[in-house]
Structures are given as structure tokens and as C-alpha cells.
Amino acid sequence: MEKRRGARFLMYIVLLFLTAIWLYPIVLAVYKSVAVGGWRNYSVVMHHDTFNYWRAVLNSFFLAGVSAGVIVLIASLAGFAFSKMYFVGKEIIYKALLACLAVPIAALITPLFATLNNVGLRDKYIGVIIPLISFNVIVMILMMRAHFDSFPNEVIEAAMLDGCSSWRIFWKVLMPVSGPSLATIGVLSFVYSWNEWLLPTLLLKTEEKFPITQAISLLQTERMSQEQISQLYAGLILMTIPSIVVYLFSQRYLQAGITAGSVKS
């Protein structure tokens, strides 16, 4: 009993330490955002002359929402195919996808920029959405395969004996019980796309199309006063709030979805 209490106490200490590490930069950013100019800095950012804050927020919602929706569709279909369907080269294709995770994104930036520029997709939303989907979808496919692997094959076989096609098994049998996993990959894809800064910076040049991450970077200049620095921190906090809200409202589904593939039949 004493050992169990000691282990629990140690666990709480470690969790508190990790919580402090995660909260420290957030608390520091909030403090810096009101250090000079107070809470007025947030109003200044939302009505800044350099960019339209609300337009940038809508742009981010559009980019992140479309990317997340397409990723959920692709990942669910591909996860089902890799888990429950049988076709020639399945494992080879799957391992090739795994190998793609070892390629750093920085190594693809130059050919990506040249390709999108040559086909006329630079400074267009679709030119940003396609790379966002490509860079995030592989991990989501792995998660959905792990989720579908947790379903007994006997259920699939019974459905096939009843005359169900692969599409009907996917749509009628597996999808109704895959809500938490779909919510997980949807929220993670949304947050990853919302926080993306490099791709929009490289591919978008019209300020009216800037997402919030790129628009906030316009607040940074070569020589900044203390008040401007506080306004920059306020912009960073405002940029982060939507993704945090999305995460908090979907936390219950995230917890269920992340553990959905932990047990395999």
C-alpha cells in the first residue's frame, strides 16, 4: 500500500512538472502581451492597419477546414483498405507510405515550390491545401488503419456472407462506430493546418489571402518598440485561441479515438 502511494505521489510530481513546462510559455506570452499597453493590445491587433484580422481568421478556417475534411475522407477510406481489404501490393504500398514519413518536409520545399509555380497554383488556396493534405494525411492513415485493425475480422466476414459489398461494410458497419477516431484525425488535421506557417508564407503573396499565422507575422518588423513587441505577443495569443477551443471541445473524442486502435483482435 505504501509503495502504491509513493508511486502515485511520484506520478503527480512528474505530471505537475510537465504541466509547468507546457504552461510556462503560454503564461509568459500572455504576460508579455499586456506588459506594455495592457489589454488594449488585443484590440489594436484585431483592428490593425497592416492586415484585416477577421479576414485572416476566415482564411485560416477555410484552409484548415477543407484540408481536415479531405484528410478525414482519404484517411478513412485508405485505412479501411489497408486494414480489411486484400489486393496485390498492399503491404508494399503501405511500407512505401511509412517510408515517406522519414523524408523531412524541408527537403521537399524547393521542388514543391517549383512544381506549384510551374502549374500556376502559386498564390492560390488550392496550392496550399494540396501540400497540407499531402504532408498530414499519411499519419492519419496509420491511425485509421490501427482503428480498423481493432475490429474482429469475423464481423467483416459475417457481413460479406450477408451479401454486403466492401463499400457497404465500410459505410454501414464500420463508419457508424468510428466517430471518435474520425473526430481525432479531423481535429488533429485542423490544428496542424491552422498552425502551419511555412507553406502559406512560401506559396501565398496576396495579403488578402493570408491565413492568420502569416498575417500575424506582418506585425514583426526590423526595429520594434516595447509596445509593438507586446502587440506581437497579443497577436500570437489570438492566433492560438481558435485551435485551443477546437481541441478543448473535442477532447472527449480525442481521448477515445487515440486509444481506439490500442487493442487488436
Side-chain angles (χ1 to χ4, degrees), residues 139-255:
V139 175
M140 306 308 165
I141 291 175
L142 304 186
M143 294 178 63
M144 287 306 298
R145 178 179 178 171
H147 166 69
F148 288 128
D149 282 344
S150 65
F151 285 90
N153 290 327
E154 290 77 7
V155 175
I156 308 300
E157 294 170 358
M160 293 178 66
L161 290 175
D162 288 339
C164 290
S165 62
S166 296
W167 170 253
R168 193 172 181 184
I169 292 173
F170 169 77
W171 187 250
K172 296 292 186 179
V173 177
L174 297 180
M175 290 302 288
V177 293
S178 299
S181 293
L182 294 174
T184 297
I185 65 173
V187 170
L188 292 179
S189 300
F190 180 90
V191 172
Y192 293 161
S193 300
W194 180 278
N195 293 332
E196 181 62 40
W197 174 81
L198 180 60
L199 289 175
T201 301
L202 288 174
L203 300 173
L204 296 178
K205 55 185 179 181
T206 303
E207 291 188 6
E208 287 76 13
K209 298 180 180 180
F210 284 1
I212 189 62
T213 50
Q214 191 177 3
I216 292 299
S217 65
L218 298 176
L219 295 174
Q220 186 174 5
T221 58
E222 185 175 351
R223 294 183 178 181
M224 301 177 65
S225 64
Q226 290 298 320
E227 186 175 8
Q228 289 175 322
I229 293 175
S230 291
Q231 292 172 4
L232 177 60
Y233 275 103
L236 294 174
I237 295 296
L238 289 172
M239 177 189 72
T240 308
I241 288 176
S243 59
I244 293 177
V245 171
V246 169
Y247 175 80
L248 291 178
F249 274 99
S250 57
Q251 187 176 12
R252 178 167 60 91
Y253 298 102
L254 285 172
Q255 292 174 350

Side-chain angles (χ1 to χ4, degrees), residues 89-163:
K90 180 175 79 170
E91 291 302 321
I92 295 176
I93 297 174
Y94 185 71
K95 291 177 180 178
L97 289 176
L98 290 178
C100 292
L101 294 176
V103 180
I105 295 178
L108 303 175
I109 291 301
T110 300
L112 174 67
F113 178 84
T115 301
L116 293 176
N117 191 46
N118 290 336
V119 298
L121 292 182
R122 193 188 173 200
D123 200 32
K124 294 182 179 180
Y125 290 132
I126 188 65
V128 179
I129 291 173
I130 291 175
L132 285 175
I133 294 171
S134 303
F135 291 151
N136 293 321
V137 73
I138 297 178
V139 175
M140 306 308 165
I141 291 175
L142 304 186
M143 294 178 63
M144 287 306 298
R145 178 179 178 171
H147 166 69
F148 288 128
D149 282 344
S150 65
F151 285 90
N153 290 327
E154 290 77 7
V155 175
I156 308 300
E157 294 170 358
M160 293 178 66
L161 290 175
D162 288 339

Side-chain angles (χ1 to χ4, degrees), residues 22-132:
W22 281 99
L23 288 180
Y24 174 75
I26 298 177
V27 174
L28 179 63
V30 173
Y31 170 75
K32 290 283 189 179
S33 69
V34 296
V36 180
W39 297 103
R40 174 180 169 275
N41 292 328
Y42 289 88
S43 177
V44 171
V45 172
M46 288 188 288
H47 302 89
H48 207 275
D49 296 332
T50 306
F51 62 92
N52 188 324
Y53 170 79
W54 297 108
R55 176 64 181 269
V57 169
L58 289 177
N59 292 340
S60 287
F61 270 112
F62 175 74
L63 292 173
V66 173
S67 300
V70 175
I71 288 174
V72 169
L73 177 63
I74 295 175
S76 58
L77 290 170
F80 170 73
F82 284 123
S83 177
K84 299 302 181 184
M85 297 181 68
Y86 300 94
F87 52 89
V88 177
K90 180 175 79 170
E91 291 302 321
I92 295 176
I93 297 174
Y94 185 71
K95 291 177 180 178
L97 289 176
L98 290 178
C100 292
L101 294 176
V103 180
I105 295 178
L108 303 175
I109 291 301
T110 300
L112 174 67
F113 178 84
T115 301
L116 293 176
N117 191 46
N118 290 336
V119 298
L121 292 182
R122 193 188 173 200
D123 200 32
K124 294 182 179 180
Y125 290 132
I126 188 65
V128 179
I129 291 173
I130 291 175
L132 285 175

